């Protein structure tokens, strides 16, 4: 029997590109290609006692990060979704600050 993780990875692999880049959308004379970042999770389980077997799982997150925009007479350009980027950057900056404080305290000793 093939490894279950390998089977799941083979099923999920082709989904990546199509879920990160949307279909082109025409808006006026411009073409937009939406871009997102996606995370997926899954679970499992089993129990062979007298109560039966059980388990489950799942989950997904999609964050729109911007769009590629093509306007007449211009090159293709990426335009970020500022609100999404701020939403992602705030926790990253907070964690980086906490790490920096601990690093400075450790170096002072």
């Amino acid at each position: 029997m093939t490894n279950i993780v390998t089977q799941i990875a083979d099923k999920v692999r082709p989904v990546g590109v199509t879920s990160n880049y949307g279909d082109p959308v025409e808006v006026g004379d411009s073409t937009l290609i939406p871009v997102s970042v996606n995370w997926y999770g899954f679970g499992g389980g089993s129990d062979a006692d007298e109560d039966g077997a059980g388990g489950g799982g799942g989950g997904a997150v999609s964050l729109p990060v911007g769009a590629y925009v093509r306007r007449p007479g211009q090159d293709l350009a990426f335009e970020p979704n500022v609100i999404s980027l701020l939403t992602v950057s705030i926790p990253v900056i907070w964690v980086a600050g906490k790490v920096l404080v601990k690093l400075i305290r450790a170096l002072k000793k």
Side-chain angles (χ1 to χ4, degrees), residues 1 46 74:
M1 180 177 209
S46 179
Q74 296 181 1

Side-chain angles (χ1 to χ4, degrees), residues 15-82:
V15 174
V17 172
T18 57
S19 63
N20 288 332
Y21 297 97
D23 294 328
V25 178
E26 298 289 331
V27 178
D29 58 352
S30 300
T31 303
L32 305 174
I33 302 171
V35 180
S36 66
V37 175
N38 300 302
W39 292 274
Y40 300 100
F42 61 90
S46 179
D47 193 5
D49 63 3
E50 59 272 353
D51 293 335
V61 175
S62 181
L63 179 69
V65 293
Y68 283 104
V69 179
R70 175 166 297 165
R71 293 185 177 96
Q74 296 181 1
D75 290 334
L76 183 68
F78 180 76
E79 294 186 9
N81 179 344
V82 178

Side-chain angles (χ1 to χ4, degrees), residues 84-105:
S84 291
L85 294 177
L86 285 174
T87 303
V88 170
S89 65
I90 290 171
V92 170
I93 292 169
W94 183 81
V95 169
K98 290 290 188 181
V99 168
L100 188 60
V101 167
K102 289 185 181 214
L103 181 64
I104 290 171
R105 286 184 184 158

Side-chain angles (χ1 to χ4, degrees), residues 1-19:
M1 180 177 209
T2 307
N3 185 353
I4 187 72
V5 175
T6 306
Q7 289 179 349
I8 293 172
D10 289 340
K11 299 289 186 206
V12 173
R13 187 174 297 124
V15 174
V17 172
T18 57
S19 63

